[in-house]
Amino acid sequence: MMPAAALAVAMAAVAAPQAVAAPVSDQDTAFVRAAHQGNLAEIAAGQDAQTHAASACVKEVGDVLVRDHTKLDADLKALAGKLGISLPAGPSAAQNQELASVREKAGSSAYDAAWLKMGEAGHVKTLALIDQEVKSGANAEVVAAAQAARPVVAMHLKMVEGGTCHAGMEAGTIHAGNGGQIAAASDRSYGTAGLVTLAGGALLAGLSTGWLLRIRRRSAAAR
C-alpha cells in the first residue's frame, strides 16, 4: 500500500494543470516564412553588393546585411524547427526578380542607387510585417522573435533610408542564439563612462570633505 504522503503527492500531480504550448496561428506561420524569405533576400542582396557596388559605403552596408540577417535567420530556423513550421527554400520569385533587375546595372553608379532603393523598400516591408506580428501574433515565442529582430531591421533601414548610404552607424552587434537582439555598444560605453564619472565624483567629494574638516580644525584651534 502506498504511504499517505506519497499518495498525496501523486494525486496532486494528477490534479495539477499541465502546461499547454502556446498555439501557432496562421499569422505566426506566415510571419516566420516571410521573415525567413526576407532574411535570404537580404543576404543575397548583401552578397551581390560585395561584388557589384561601386562605393565602399554600399559594400560596407551589404556586409552588415549579410552578417546580421545570417544570424537572425539561424535563430528563426531553430524556432521554426521547434514549432514545426516548414520554410521556403529561397527568396520569393518577386525578390529574386528585383535583385536581378538591380544586378543589370552592375558596373555603374546606377547600381548603387538602385540597390539602396531596393534595400529601403525591403526593410520597410519587413518592419510592417514585424509590427503586425508584435501587435496580433498568437505564439509568444514568435512574437518575441519579431520584437528582437525589430531594432536590427530598423537600424538597417536607417543605413539605406532615402536612397542615401549611411555606413558606420550600427548600434552594436547581434549575437547568434539569443533571438538576434542587439548588444548596444553605446550603452556599454555610456555605462563605463558613468562608472568613471561616479568614481571621479566620489573622489572629489572625499577631497572636499577632507578640506572642510581641516578648515574647521584650524578655526577651532585659533579660538
Side-chain angles (χ1 to χ4, degrees):
M1 184 176 180
M2 183 180 294
L7 180 60
V9 171
M11 292 179 66
V14 172
Q18 299 298 312
V20 179
V24 178
S25 67
D26 290 342
Q27 177 178 301
D28 295 330
T29 300
F31 169 77
V32 170
R33 290 173 177 167
H36 172 62
Q37 286 188 305
N39 285 331
L40 296 181
E42 296 299 345
I43 292 168
Q47 291 171 337
D48 202 75
Q50 305 291 306
T51 304
H52 299 118
S55 73
C57 183
V58 171
K59 289 179 182 290
E60 183 178 343
V61 173
D63 182 62
V64 171
L65 296 189
V66 172
R67 182 199 67 197
D68 291 355
H69 284 282
T70 296
K71 292 176 180 178
L72 286 175
D73 204 52
D75 291 344
L76 191 66
K77 286 191 289 187
L79 179 59
K82 177 181 178 181
L83 299 177
I85 300 174
S86 61
L87 296 175
S92 68
Q95 288 167 332
N96 285 331
Q97 180 57 49
E98 189 172 18
L99 179 57
S101 297
V102 172
R103 191 181 295 124
E104 290 176 357
K105 300 174 176 61
S108 70
S109 59
Y111 174 91
D112 289 28
W115 189 91
L116 290 167
K117 183 178 179 181
M118 174 181 68
E120 181 179 24
H123 285 90
V124 166
K125 290 178 182 177
T126 301
L127 279 178
L129 286 171
I130 287 173
D131 289 341
Q132 182 61 35
E133 176 63 21
V134 170
K135 178 181 178 181
S136 53
N139 183 274
E141 290 182 280
V142 177
V143 171
Q147 290 173 324
R150 194 185 196 289
V152 184
V153 176
M155 178 189 73
H156 291 171
L157 177 58
K158 289 182 179 179
M159 297 175 82
V160 299
E161 201 164 24
T164 303
C165 185
H166 301 282
M169 59 183 299
E170 301 176 67
T173 57
I174 306 166
H175 303 290
N178 69 353
Q181 295 182 10
I182 290 181
S186 58
D187 287 346
R188 291 196 297 272
S189 299
Y190 177 82
T192 303
L195 289 174
V196 172
T197 302
L198 287 174
L203 178 60
L204 289 174
L207 292 173
S208 298
T209 301
W211 180 77
L212 288 173
L213 287 173
R214 286 195 296 272
I215 293 297
R216 289 173 181 172
R217 286 171 184 165
R218 289 174 183 173
S219 298
R223 290 174 185 170

